[in-house]
Amino acid sequence: MKRRLVLVIAILASLCDLCALYAEEVHKILDYNGNRDGASLNINFITPTIIRVRYALTEGSHPNNTGVCLYEGEYTDAKIYSKEGKETTLSSGLIEVAVNNENGSFVIREKKSGRILFFTSNKAPFYAQRVAKVDVKYDEASARVEHTANGDVTIKDILSKDTIGFVTQYRLNFNFQEGEALYGLGAHMEDYMNLRGKTMYLTQHNLKAMVPVLNSTNGYGLLFDAGCVMKFCDTKEESYMELEAAGELDMYIMVGDKMDDIIKQYRLLTGKSPMMPKYMFGYIQSKERYVSQDELVGVLREYRRRHVPIDMIVQDWSYWPEGWGYMKMDSKFFPNPKAMADSVHAMNAKLMISIWPNPQYCPQERDFSERGYMLKQSVYDVFNPKARDYYWSYANNEFFSKGFDAWWCDCSEPLDGDWKNMGEGYGIDNQEERWHLNMDILSASMGEERSSLYSLYHARGIYENQRKTTSEKRVVNLTRSSYAGQQRYATITWNGDTHASWRSFKQQIPAGLNFMATGCPYWSVDIGSFFTRGNDQWHRWFYCGEFEGGVASDAYREYYTRMLQWGTFLPMMRSHGTDTPREIWRFGEPGTKYYDAILKMIKLRYSLLPYIYSNAWRITNSDYTMCRLLAFDFATDNKVLDIKDEYMFGDAILVCPVTDPNVTSREVYLPQGCEWIDYWTGKRYAGGVSITAYAPIDILPLFVKAGSIIVTGPDIEYSSQKTDMPLEINVYSGKDATFDLYEDEGDNYNCEQGQYSIIPMKWDNKRKRLTIGKQIGTYNGCLKEREFVINIDGKSNRVKYNGREITVK
């Protein structure tokens, strides 16, 4: 019989049997960090390369019950032994954990090489203290509505603040190694790429999407499984992660050779990312807001008249007839929601609707309140399964059953503490102050130990209920907040209500790359930024846009065009914002530079759909990351570790956004280890050098890694458009290359039942030979015969393919 491998450092009366078996493994913590006797440390292998560490201030089990992790297995083949009574060592055969028996500090090493991967402080690894828990009581009679840029918010006066108990604050003190780079923790606006030497204030609020995962170039990742607000700090004096309120410090250490390995293990623990529908990767038009059914349908009709590709149009907020956040369309302006959806579908497009978690002063709020489905601060109780189901019934009855396709779950934090005049000096850089404000309001509504979990459970309700309703339409949920595990609910997180400035633009790139480095693969932005104008009379973090003229000014048109070029190479390409319209014809007419530059990039996006959709399948099937900070692929090149404005889009394409005004070039660093080919000119460059890349207004510098295959498609106006034109297989020689072309029906879950096809492709660089392998699998509508145009080093060849292997020299 195999025994579960657990190291316990504790004073537990119930451990008599375990002590008899492993007497040398049980130790008393004496006056540890001032804590009382009884603190416990539990370490065990979940898999041969995943270690779980649990530390509690008091004995017994104190699970955080976050719902983050789904994996419940444990590795039973590990071994345990002691050395001289001073430390206990656990080994899975691949990884060793050496634990100091006196204070619980530990070191994780590769068993074969002895290389240290991760280690805690050897003096005081764990710290815990009890903190008073405060209950805030509000004067219900004082309830009033205040209109903010985030919508109507119910304000109530505070009657009292009472101490009603205690929560436990935990801290893990650790060390990092010289040259090690760290990424992750979610999307933040601090303009950080490598998180070494940084302090990060982790909570949910507009412009922050917290995901408590770190990914290291040293071969490991950390997942902190708690639902509270946290703080990460790495300075010369100390390095730690602090959990502000948790039953226990619960951490998973994931070990792997590459950052991709960490992502794979993270998704093993927290869940796979489902396949997104193909239309989600097309162009999406939105703004704040289309005021009527006629306007929305008219905008889509104009795109079709101009033959500008588009796949989805979005209806933003304030469509409701009364109150706030009511899932009901005002019949005066939206007389027939089903007819609106049918009109959109008739033009081969999809319809997304904005829904909110905070109905106020409307029948929906009263209905939820009477059923006990509301939390404090007028948000519905996502932690109650019945409330989630009831929320879906509103969404289904008004939207989904009438043909609406996708969800925009706005305000999924769901509360922000600073949508008001904050006084002189308050702004986007006051991260610690924002942290405290939002920690207080979220904790007051949901409790300290689950104050960061709202978005996870909100997304769960949408995903699970739509999946119960039908398998014919894939879930798409664009949401403003996120958490560990949320990728399993088909969410795309966007970075919130940004303001339009070149500085903000620069900050958003590393924000997204760090978010996707956590294992949450889908992230996006408001192309053009949300707020375009400023307001000097209001000291807020959002009224600080720099383009008063909006689309009427060349300054904003240039800004928007450069941002759209970057957005072409994000998982979701979506234009959105307030203050000024965003449709392509607002930036000129055909033949003018901004119109043509925008159209060029939208068309480029559609030509790359075979490449993009195949990489989306890799996300689902192989735990891939499509938008890749450079350390994913070039971790041994120290020059890339803190580059903020370049990244890989799939394995092949190096994307280099232009983030300065009035320029026609930018410096680009080409990572070591391969040659690079200019996507536009075909010119080759050696790796490991910096070059000046040509970048007029219609050019985004793009470079293809030598030894790549990129499959592109013909001109189409929507993702599901059928055409007789062949796909092109573009081979960039210099090294061997492979690519799997993935295809399916586009928008149902038949792919989960094996109904899809893969056409494997392999380039043999030495023999100058491309092999298009035997087609694997099939689906309804799958082509039995087709043509490919093969482009290799400037030479083209057209071949017929019927699913059998062929070779082209």
Side-chain angles (χ1 to χ4, degrees), residues 259-276:
M259 293 177 69
D260 282 305
D261 297 332
I262 307 307
I263 301 297
K264 191 174 188 67
Q265 293 182 82
Y266 160 79
R267 294 193 194 145
L268 173 69
L269 292 171
T270 64
K272 292 274 191 178
S273 180
M275 190 65 187
M276 289 291 184

PDB file of all heavy atoms in Angstrom, residues 259-276:
ATOM      1  N   MET A 259       9.018  28.331 -19.344  1.00  0.00           N
ATOM      2  CA  MET A 259       7.830  29.018 -18.841  1.00  0.00           C
ATOM      3  C   MET A 259       6.559  28.361 -19.358  1.00  0.00           C
ATOM      4  O   MET A 259       5.525  28.357 -18.685  1.00  0.00           O
ATOM      5  CB  MET A 259       7.889  30.501 -19.212  1.00  0.00           C
ATOM      6  CG  MET A 259       9.011  31.244 -18.496  1.00  0.00           C
ATOM      7  SD  MET A 259       9.159  32.971 -18.981  1.00  0.00           S
ATOM      8  CE  MET A 259       7.667  33.657 -18.284  1.00  0.00           C
ATOM      9  N   ASP A 260       6.602  27.795 -20.556  1.00  0.00           N
ATOM     10  CA  ASP A 260       5.449  27.046 -21.075  1.00  0.00           C
ATOM     11  C   ASP A 260       5.098  25.863 -20.176  1.00  0.00           C
ATOM     12  O   ASP A 260       3.920  25.513 -20.030  1.00  0.00           O
ATOM     13  CB  ASP A 260       5.735  26.537 -22.488  1.00  0.00           C
ATOM     14  CG  ASP A 260       5.587  27.627 -23.538  1.00  0.00           C
ATOM     15  OD1 ASP A 260       4.522  28.245 -23.589  1.00  0.00           O
ATOM     16  OD2 ASP A 260       6.537  27.841 -24.306  1.00  0.00           O
ATOM     17  N   ASP A 261       6.105  25.214 -19.592  1.00  0.00           N
ATOM     18  CA  ASP A 261       5.853  24.088 -18.691  1.00  0.00           C
ATOM     19  C   ASP A 261       5.083  24.541 -17.452  1.00  0.00           C
ATOM     20  O   ASP A 261       4.242  23.808 -16.924  1.00  0.00           O
ATOM     21  CB  ASP A 261       7.174  23.440 -18.267  1.00  0.00           C
ATOM     22  CG  ASP A 261       7.940  22.850 -19.436  1.00  0.00           C
ATOM     23  OD1 ASP A 261       7.296  22.459 -20.426  1.00  0.00           O
ATOM     24  OD2 ASP A 261       9.178  22.782 -19.360  1.00  0.00           O
ATOM     25  N   ILE A 262       5.387  25.739 -16.979  1.00  0.00           N
ATOM     26  CA  ILE A 262       4.690  26.273 -15.807  1.00  0.00           C
ATOM     27  C   ILE A 262       3.223  26.530 -16.149  1.00  0.00           C
ATOM     28  O   ILE A 262       2.321  26.232 -15.353  1.00  0.00           O
ATOM     29  CB  ILE A 262       5.370  27.567 -15.318  1.00  0.00           C
ATOM     30  CG1 ILE A 262       6.876  27.325 -15.088  1.00  0.00           C
ATOM     31  CG2 ILE A 262       4.686  28.084 -14.068  1.00  0.00           C
ATOM     32  CD1 ILE A 262       7.192  26.158 -14.198  1.00  0.00           C
ATOM     33  N   ILE A 263       2.975  27.079 -17.338  1.00  0.00           N
ATOM     34  CA  ILE A 263       1.596  27.317 -17.766  1.00  0.00           C
ATOM     35  C   ILE A 263       0.829  25.993 -17.820  1.00  0.00           C
ATOM     36  O   ILE A 263      -0.326  25.905 -17.385  1.00  0.00           O
ATOM     37  CB  ILE A 263       1.570  27.995 -19.149  1.00  0.00           C
ATOM     38  CG1 ILE A 263       2.314  29.339 -19.126  1.00  0.00           C
ATOM     39  CG2 ILE A 263       0.140  28.161 -19.642  1.00  0.00           C
ATOM     40  CD1 ILE A 263       1.717  30.374 -18.237  1.00  0.00           C
ATOM     41  N   LYS A 264       1.465  24.984 -18.342  1.00  0.00           N
ATOM     42  CA  LYS A 264       0.804  23.660 -18.453  1.00  0.00           C
ATOM     43  C   LYS A 264       0.427  23.131 -17.077  1.00  0.00           C
ATOM     44  O   LYS A 264      -0.675  22.600 -16.876  1.00  0.00           O
ATOM     45  CB  LYS A 264       1.734  22.688 -19.171  1.00  0.00           C
ATOM     46  CG  LYS A 264       1.070  21.373 -19.576  1.00  0.00           C
ATOM     47  CD  LYS A 264       2.006  20.524 -20.408  1.00  0.00           C
ATOM     48  CE  LYS A 264       1.302  19.300 -20.982  1.00  0.00           C
ATOM     49  NZ  LYS A 264       0.285  19.651 -21.986  1.00  0.00           N
ATOM     50  N   GLN A 265       1.315  23.286 -16.117  1.00  0.00           N
ATOM     51  CA  GLN A 265       1.022  22.779 -14.776  1.00  0.00           C
ATOM     52  C   GLN A 265      -0.014  23.641 -14.066  1.00  0.00           C
ATOM     53  O   GLN A 265      -0.856  23.130 -13.320  1.00  0.00           O
ATOM     54  CB  GLN A 265       2.320  22.708 -13.973  1.00  0.00           C
ATOM     55  CG  GLN A 265       3.262  21.658 -14.541  1.00  0.00           C
ATOM     56  CD  GLN A 265       4.531  21.530 -13.744  1.00  0.00           C
ATOM     57  OE1 GLN A 265       4.560  20.859 -12.718  1.00  0.00           O
ATOM     58  NE2 GLN A 265       5.587  22.169 -14.214  1.00  0.00           N
ATOM     59  N   TYR A 266       0.042  24.946 -14.308  1.00  0.00           N
ATOM     60  CA  TYR A 266      -0.989  25.829 -13.754  1.00  0.00           C
ATOM     61  C   TYR A 266      -2.374  25.401 -14.242  1.00  0.00           C
ATOM     62  O   TYR A 266      -3.339  25.340 -13.467  1.00  0.00           O
ATOM     63  CB  TYR A 266      -0.695  27.273 -14.166  1.00  0.00           C
ATOM     64  CG  TYR A 266      -1.896  28.193 -14.072  1.00  0.00           C
ATOM     65  CD1 TYR A 266      -2.306  28.716 -12.852  1.00  0.00           C
ATOM     66  CD2 TYR A 266      -2.631  28.516 -15.209  1.00  0.00           C
ATOM     67  CE1 TYR A 266      -3.414  29.540 -12.770  1.00  0.00           C
ATOM     68  CE2 TYR A 266      -3.734  29.343 -15.134  1.00  0.00           C
ATOM     69  CZ  TYR A 266      -4.125  29.860 -13.914  1.00  0.00           C
ATOM     70  OH  TYR A 266      -5.227  30.674 -13.835  1.00  0.00           O
ATOM     71  N   ARG A 267      -2.486  25.072 -15.537  1.00  0.00           N
ATOM     72  CA  ARG A 267      -3.799  24.674 -16.066  1.00  0.00           C
ATOM     73  C   ARG A 267      -4.176  23.248 -15.647  1.00  0.00           C
ATOM     74  O   ARG A 267      -5.356  22.915 -15.591  1.00  0.00           O
ATOM     75  CB  ARG A 267      -3.833  24.832 -17.591  1.00  0.00           C
ATOM     76  CG  ARG A 267      -3.737  26.292 -17.995  1.00  0.00           C
ATOM     77  CD  ARG A 267      -4.068  26.537 -19.439  1.00  0.00           C
ATOM     78  NE  ARG A 267      -3.640  27.882 -19.819  1.00  0.00           N
ATOM     79  CZ  ARG A 267      -3.163  28.221 -20.995  1.00  0.00           C
ATOM     80  NH1 ARG A 267      -3.058  27.299 -21.953  1.00  0.00           N
ATOM     81  NH2 ARG A 267      -2.798  29.457 -21.252  1.00  0.00           N
ATOM     82  N   LEU A 268      -3.186  22.429 -15.338  1.00  0.00           N
ATOM     83  CA  LEU A 268      -3.500  21.133 -14.740  1.00  0.00           C
ATOM     84  C   LEU A 268      -4.190  21.342 -13.397  1.00  0.00           C
ATOM     85  O   LEU A 268      -5.164  20.663 -13.054  1.00  0.00           O
ATOM     86  CB  LEU A 268      -2.226  20.310 -14.553  1.00  0.00           C
ATOM     87  CG  LEU A 268      -2.372  18.998 -13.781  1.00  0.00           C
ATOM     88  CD1 LEU A 268      -3.173  17.979 -14.590  1.00  0.00           C
ATOM     89  CD2 LEU A 268      -1.001  18.416 -13.419  1.00  0.00           C
ATOM     90  N   LEU A 269      -3.710  22.314 -12.631  1.00  0.00           N
ATOM     91  CA  LEU A 269      -4.283  22.588 -11.319  1.00  0.00           C
ATOM     92  C   LEU A 269      -5.622  23.305 -11.408  1.00  0.00           C
ATOM     93  O   LEU A 269      -6.545  23.010 -10.641  1.00  0.00           O
ATOM     94  CB  LEU A 269      -3.314  23.447 -10.497  1.00  0.00           C
ATOM     95  CG  LEU A 269      -2.003  22.789 -10.053  1.00  0.00           C
ATOM     96  CD1 LEU A 269      -1.072  23.830  -9.458  1.00  0.00           C
ATOM     97  CD2 LEU A 269      -2.262  21.681  -9.046  1.00  0.00           C
ATOM     98  N   THR A 270      -5.759  24.254 -12.334  1.00  0.00           N
ATOM     99  CA  THR A 270      -6.895  25.175 -12.299  1.00  0.00           C
ATOM    100  C   THR A 270      -7.867  25.025 -13.462  1.00  0.00           C
ATOM    101  O   THR A 270      -8.938  25.638 -13.433  1.00  0.00           O
ATOM    102  CB  THR A 270      -6.397  26.628 -12.278  1.00  0.00           C
ATOM    103  OG1 THR A 270      -5.707  26.921 -13.508  1.00  0.00           O
ATOM    104  CG2 THR A 270      -5.467  26.869 -11.106  1.00  0.00           C
ATOM    105  N   GLY A 271      -7.515  24.246 -14.494  1.00  0.00           N
ATOM    106  CA  GLY A 271      -8.457  24.007 -15.566  1.00  0.00           C
ATOM    107  C   GLY A 271      -7.984  24.473 -16.929  1.00  0.00           C
ATOM    108  O   GLY A 271      -7.278  25.475 -17.055  1.00  0.00           O
ATOM    109  N   LYS A 272      -8.400  23.738 -17.959  1.00  0.00           N
ATOM    110  CA  LYS A 272      -8.072  24.056 -19.340  1.00  0.00           C
ATOM    111  C   LYS A 272      -8.823  25.311 -19.797  1.00  0.00           C
ATOM    112  O   LYS A 272      -9.866  25.670 -19.258  1.00  0.00           O
ATOM    113  CB  LYS A 272      -8.452  22.894 -20.248  1.00  0.00           C
ATOM    114  CG  LYS A 272      -7.618  21.641 -20.056  1.00  0.00           C
ATOM    115  CD  LYS A 272      -6.367  21.713 -20.885  1.00  0.00           C
ATOM    116  CE  LYS A 272      -5.652  20.372 -20.925  1.00  0.00           C
ATOM    117  NZ  LYS A 272      -4.447  20.424 -21.783  1.00  0.00           N
ATOM    118  N   SER A 273      -8.296  25.929 -20.844  1.00  0.00           N
ATOM    119  CA  SER A 273      -8.963  27.060 -21.477  1.00  0.00           C
ATOM    120  C   SER A 273      -9.773  26.540 -22.659  1.00  0.00           C
ATOM    121  O   SER A 273      -9.207  25.972 -23.597  1.00  0.00           O
ATOM    122  CB  SER A 273      -7.930  28.082 -21.952  1.00  0.00           C
ATOM    123  OG  SER A 273      -8.560  29.177 -22.576  1.00  0.00           O
ATOM    124  N   PRO A 274     -11.110  26.696 -22.666  1.00  0.00           N
ATOM    125  CA  PRO A 274     -11.923  26.136 -23.746  1.00  0.00           C
ATOM    126  C   PRO A 274     -11.632  26.812 -25.087  1.00  0.00           C
ATOM    127  O   PRO A 274     -11.096  27.920 -25.146  1.00  0.00           O
ATOM    128  CB  PRO A 274     -13.365  26.416 -23.299  1.00  0.00           C
ATOM    129  CG  PRO A 274     -13.276  26.742 -21.851  1.00  0.00           C
ATOM    130  CD  PRO A 274     -11.923  27.341 -21.645  1.00  0.00           C
ATOM    131  N   MET A 275     -12.010  26.128 -26.167  1.00  0.00           N
ATOM    132  CA  MET A 275     -11.832  26.665 -27.510  1.00  0.00           C
ATOM    133  C   MET A 275     -12.786  27.829 -27.735  1.00  0.00           C
ATOM    134  O   MET A 275     -13.994  27.706 -27.517  1.00  0.00           O
ATOM    135  CB  MET A 275     -12.075  25.567 -28.544  1.00  0.00           C
ATOM    136  CG  MET A 275     -11.696  25.956 -29.956  1.00  0.00           C
ATOM    137  SD  MET A 275      -9.920  26.254 -30.126  1.00  0.00           S
ATOM    138  CE  MET A 275      -9.838  26.892 -31.798  1.00  0.00           C
ATOM    139  N   MET A 276     -12.239  28.943 -28.170  1.00  0.00           N
ATOM    140  CA  MET A 276     -13.045  30.106 -28.504  1.00  0.00           C
ATOM    141  C   MET A 276     -13.619  29.953 -29.909  1.00  0.00           C
ATOM    142  O   MET A 276     -13.030  29.296 -30.764  1.00  0.00           O
ATOM    143  CB  MET A 276     -12.200  31.377 -28.425  1.00  0.00           C
ATOM    144  CG  MET A 276     -11.819  31.783 -27.018  1.00  0.00           C
ATOM    145  SD  MET A 276     -13.261  32.355 -26.091  1.00  0.00           S
ATOM    146  CE  MET A 276     -12.480  32.879 -24.557  1.00  0.00           C
TER     147      MET A 276
END
